[in-house]
Amino acid sequence: MSQDRVIIFDTTLRDGEQSPGASMTREEKLRIAKALEKLRVDVIEAGFAIASPGDFEAVKSIADTIQDSTICSLARAVDADIDRAAEALANANSGRIHTFIATSPIHMEHKLRLQPDQVIEQAVRAIKRARNLCADVEFSCEDGGRSEIDFLCRIIEQAIDAGARTINIPDTVGYAIPHQFAETIRQVIERVPNADKAIFSVHCHNDLGLAVANSLAAVTAGARQVECTINGLGERAGNASLEEIVMAIKTRQDVLGVHTGIVTEHILSTSRLVSSITGFPVQPNKAIVGANAFAHESGIHQDGVLKHRETYEIMSAQSVGWHANKLSLGKLSGRNAFRTRLQELGIELSDQDELNAAFVRFKELADKKHEIFDEDLQALVSDTVTDMVERMRLVFLDVRSRTGETPMATLTVEIGGVEQQATASGSGPVDAAFRALEQIASSGANLQLYSVNAITEGTDSQGEVTVRLEKGGRIVNGNGADTDIVIASAKAYINALNLMHSGALKAHPQVEGI
Ligand code: KIV
Ligand code: ZN
């Protein structure tokens, strides 16, 4: 690989999934992995295989399917994690085990309760074990941003000797400042005697809003892999956002002097897919993928752009996929055209029943909505296809809402083949529908978030609703889409209840001790 090429390592499916409420099903992860492959991401961190059976299955099915990107699983520096990661990656065309241990004084003393020499010993042992199972091994110094430079150099030298080919220095707690972080990376690369045998990587969290700046500063200091996520999803304030890293590298090649292999035209569709699956909306003023990122409001700016685009635009909207919003299908489109378009979008339905169910929903939607766009199809499939057993299903919903009268909702749901009905009033039709659902479900969960987003433009757009429920510290996000936002809301609430009922808790890579 050329010295000027920056490897893009996407961790949306692992660190991104650690955002409270962002957990995804195996099928959803596979759809995102296919979009990342199409984007030409070099390495996809598909999950943390030992965390749960669901995570293992997700890593495995991504490793079994994806051909063009390297598939990686996270593993703590312990035998069981490494063996499980290797098992999940067994069929990968190109697989990587990513093992880590904390290296900062505060983590070693209070979390690991290990002496620095014991940490080195454990890291070396883990890397050797991983190398026996997989040719491509990455080692991360967790909390690298707060680690002592002498210790970093010591452990990294031994990690490379043990067989790690990528050395990642994460700013786990988002504490670094760009020039200082760049200096750390520069010194490590200079001082580690066998540094030329590894690629140096960074993984920055955004607690101070500096994740992208820190990552780019590290690139100027010699890092040649950046770990990032779509829409900056991730633990707490998130990770460095892939779209911002990639477009900064592309737009400021004059200063940074490096490039990536990303097909930037697929950035927007991937961002929308991740937002629709996780239910995390993208803020309008978000760089690159926010709705206003290329909208010029002031007259002076509009005039300038019309005369010469570069007066106010540093990159073209088309280069990241804006205005590629393709009219996909219409009312008269047949089943074959429908299936073909889904395949082009990277969506493969597992059997004829799923295709039939999705096609029925497509026809219903086409009756209500004249033009069906790719985003509509993504939402429709998210809404129809699930590898989770649906415990509760909406059968019927009637809402009454008039000026001066209390809104009422009557609904019927099916639970385990038995229909149940409830009626409730509320401060609005959505509130009434949620109260009716709670009469039946008695979940005792707290509603933490309710959000509605229009999937496409126009008043006939489908509304995509996210409902976040919390119970006993466990958070789930339910999604629902429909041209009727009350129906979309009821579906999202039911989806959240189903998730709450089905899901198993996962181990958390940073919190769990070793
Ligand atoms: O933030 C972090 O340190 C991580 C590591 C596991 C790479 O996510
Ligand atoms: Zn992280």
Side-chain angles (χ1 to χ4, degrees):
M1 187 149 328
S2 113
Q3 286 284 305
D4 304 337
R5 169 78 188 274
V6 174
I7 295 167
I8 296 296
F9 175 116
D10 180 280
T11 181
T12 307
L13 299 175
R14 198 277 298 168
D15 212 318
E17 207 206 13
Q18 283 170 223
S19 305
S23 57
M24 305 166 219
T25 66
R26 188 188 58 88
E27 187 274 331
E28 288 168 339
K29 285 188 169 186
L30 191 54
R31 274 168 57 207
I32 293 178
K34 285 181 185 168
L36 293 173
E37 183 184 37
K38 196 164 156 197
L39 193 60
R40 296 221 164 271
V41 158
D42 300 288
V43 186
I44 299 174
E45 188 161 54
F48 180 34
I50 200 155
S52 70
D55 251 44
F56 176 85
E57 285 307 324
V59 177
K60 180 169 164 32
S61 68
I62 292 169
D64 291 354
T65 313
I66 300 295
Q67 294 300 309
D68 296 339
S69 308
T70 294
I71 305 303
C72 171
S73 173
L74 187 65
R76 290 167 299 185
V78 291
D79 293 358
D81 281 38
I82 287 164
D83 296 353
R84 195 75 171 141
E87 204 187 324
L89 297 171
N91 296 330
N93 190 26
S94 163
R96 172 181 295 187
I97 297 179
H98 175 192
T99 187
F100 73 98
I101 193 163
T103 53
S104 64
I106 186 168
H107 276 230
M108 291 191 290
E109 185 185 337
H110 297 287
K111 187 180 81 168
L112 301 179
R113 300 204 169 98
L114 291 177
Q115 293 301 314
D117 282 343
Q118 293 176 298
V119 170
I120 295 183
E121 205 178 295
Q122 190 167 329
V124 166
R125 185 186 140 91
I127 294 163
K128 286 189 174 157
R129 188 175 185 97
R131 269 306 298 262
N132 275 333
L133 298 166
C134 183
D136 186 353
V137 172
E138 170 169 336
F139 171 66
S140 280
C141 308
E142 191 195 0
D143 205 16
R146 291 190 299 173
S147 301
E148 285 166 358
I149 188 105
D150 290 347
F151 184 63
L152 274 182
C153 292
R154 214 149 62 82
I155 194 167
I156 288 170
E157 182 183 352
Q158 299 204 39
I160 297 172
D161 272 348
R165 287 294 161 262
T166 303
I167 298 294
N168 184 37
I169 304 184
D171 179 23
T172 305
V173 292
Y175 183 68
I177 298 291
H179 71 274
Q180 164 252 323
F181 192 55
E183 194 45 37
T184 303
I185 304 299
R186 186 171 294 113
Q187 280 202 32
V188 168
I189 296 177
E190 259 171 36
R191 287 176 48 185
V192 170
N194 50 3
D196 59 316
K197 296 200 174 59
I199 288 174
F200 282 79
S201 165
V202 288
H203 171 115
C204 297
H205 279 271
N206 205 29
D207 300 65
L208 293 173
L210 292 171
V212 169
N214 285 330
S215 307
L216 293 175
V219 167
T220 64
R224 285 295 175 268
Q225 174 176 287
V226 174
E227 302 196 356
C228 45
T229 57
I230 300 291
N231 300 338
L233 207 66
E235 190 75 47
R236 303 181 311 278
N239 289 64
S241 119
L242 178 147
E243 56 278 9
E244 294 175 21
I245 298 281
V246 166
M247 290 315 288
I249 287 178
K250 185 169 178 177
T251 309
R252 297 313 309 273
Q253 233 240 333
D254 57 330
V255 175
L256 297 166
V258 290
H259 63 277
T260 73
I262 297 295
V263 182
T264 60
E265 287 75 12
H266 295 315
I267 284 180
L268 184 66
S269 56
T270 314
S271 156
R272 290 197 163 157
L273 179 66
V274 170
S275 168
S276 135
I277 285 178
T278 57
F280 281 41
V282 172
Q283 77 201 51
N285 59 330
K286 165 86 175 62
I288 320 292
V289 292
N292 292 349
F294 293 90
H296 300 278
E297 187 66 25
S298 96
I300 297 175
H301 288 205
Q302 285 176 352
D303 182 54
V305 170
L306 287 175
K307 286 181 177 143
H308 188 70
R309 187 181 64 75
E310 281 84 3
T311 50
Y312 285 99
E313 272 187 15
I314 56 167
M315 56 200 152
S316 80
Q318 282 81 0
S319 69
V320 294
W322 285 97
H323 314 310
N325 186 358
K326 262 215 252 143
L327 180 62
S328 248
L329 299 166
K331 197 175 165 151
L332 300 175
S333 308
R335 193 181 300 258
N336 261 345
F338 176 70
R339 188 186 16 222
T340 307
R341 188 67 201 134
L342 290 185
Q343 275 164 357
E344 284 164 6
L345 291 172
I347 303 170
E348 267 152 46
L349 302 177
S350 57
D351 58 31
Q352 199 60 31
D353 288 350
E354 270 186 7
L355 178 68
N356 291 345
F359 189 64
V360 168
R361 292 229 41 222
F362 160 70
K363 284 288 178 185
E364 284 167 5
L365 182 62
D367 268 341
K368 296 189 229 163
K369 192 171 184 286
H370 197 54
E371 300 170 321
I372 309 258
F373 294 95
D374 289 347
E375 288 88 343
D376 288 312
L377 292 181
Q378 300 273 24
L380 184 145
V381 172
S382 294
D383 222 32
T384 316
V385 179
T386 172
D387 49 10
M388 171 186 70
V389 180
E390 275 194 311
R391 181 174 164 264
M392 184 190 280
R393 188 177 69 81
L394 182 68
V395 177
F396 168 83
L397 172 63
D398 176 28
V399 283
R400 301 281 152 94
S401 172
R402 285 186 184 183
T403 37
E405 280 183 23
T406 306
M408 300 289 294
T410 298
L411 49 79
T412 307
V413 296
E414 190 189 284
I415 304 180
V418 180
E419 291 196 352
Q420 297 190 38
Q421 206 183 54
T423 299
S425 59
S427 59
V430 172
D431 187 44
F434 287 5
R435 284 172 192 272
L437 281 169
E438 270 304 321
Q439 273 185 26
I440 297 171
S442 306
S443 74
N446 302 311
L447 179 68
Q448 286 203 328
L449 175 124
Y450 170 71
S451 84
V452 189
N453 281 290
I455 294 178
T456 54
E457 285 167 10
T459 48
D460 70 345
S461 165
Q462 290 193 85
E464 188 169 45
V465 175
T466 303
V467 164
R468 184 178 300 163
L469 295 181
E470 182 276 337
K471 189 175 176 188
R474 177 144 187 269
I475 296 174
V476 292
N477 271 349
N479 300 316
D482 201 284
T483 49
D484 180 324
I485 59 162
V486 186
I487 295 179
S489 303
K491 284 183 182 171
Y493 200 96
I494 290 172
N495 182 228
L497 290 173
N498 284 336
L499 283 167
M500 194 142 253
H501 192 257
S502 73
L505 271 178
K506 285 191 221 171
H508 186 293
Q510 268 96 18
V511 172
E512 293 277 302
I514 297 186

